[in-house]
Amino acid sequence: MHERSTGICSGIRAAVCAAEVGTVLLAAAAFVLSFTTLRDLAQRAGVETGLAWLWPLIVDGIIVVSTVSVFALAGTRVVWYPWLLLVAGSSVSVTANAIHAVVAAEPGVPPLLAEAVAAVPPIVLVASTHLTAILIRHSRTVYTAASHNHLPENEEPAPAPQTSDPQPPVSHQIPNLSLIRPSKKQRPLVLPRLCRNRQRLTQRCGAKSPLSCVSKV
């Protein structure tokens, strides 16, 4: 079972690595074609030859940076900003490549055909960069899921930690009832009754001692 899980993980790892290498190669090829076209367009627009390479680097570089930022800021409120940069950079790159195709095309080439061919590299650059970011982001998740779903037979899952606190021992001692004093509501009305009885005896016996009067009765 352990050998089988190892083989599955190795196969998934190989497939993901192959996909990553393929997308990186496609992105590099599209970047080179778009870079060359935009540099030539910058030179035709009057930019110096030594600085013309900076313009395609800015236009195509913002596509790569914004794509990575979209995945880094996914689920946040500011994710709209890298999306905006990605759409703007892609639009500028596609438009610039199409304009260069019309300007530099041969006299017998239809303008629509030249624009369609020139628009392929920037579109592939956006798609391959996006796909590469997706593969890199989810590759670790795939490895982790494959390793946890195929555990070795001799390996047992770790027991769950005990989170309940130990209960204190129960005391069986008898409490001292003499220390318990009743509240005012629970106290018996003994003293008021004794006072009333003493007043009655005093009125009945007069000046005599109440005790002597009770003994005669």
Side-chain angles (χ1 to χ4, degrees), residues 1-3 26 28-29 41 50-51 54 73 87 89 109 111 117-118 123 125 137 139 142 151 180 203 209:
M1 186 69 178
H2 180 67
E3 295 179 355
L26 287 176
L41 183 63
L51 299 177
L54 291 176
L73 300 176
V87 173
V109 178
V117 173
I123 294 176
L125 176 61
R137 182 181 180 182
S139 58
V142 172
L151 292 174
I180 301 176
Q203 293 175 359
S209 175

Side-chain angles (χ1 to χ4, degrees), residues 4 26 49-50 62 67 78 121 123 126 133 149-150 155 177 183 194-196 205:
R4 181 182 177 183
L26 287 176
T49 306
I62 195 65
T67 302
V78 296
I123 294 176
V126 175
N149 290 335
H150 300 279
E155 184 177 354
L177 299 178
S183 60
L194 292 176
C195 294
R196 286 196 297 269
C205 299

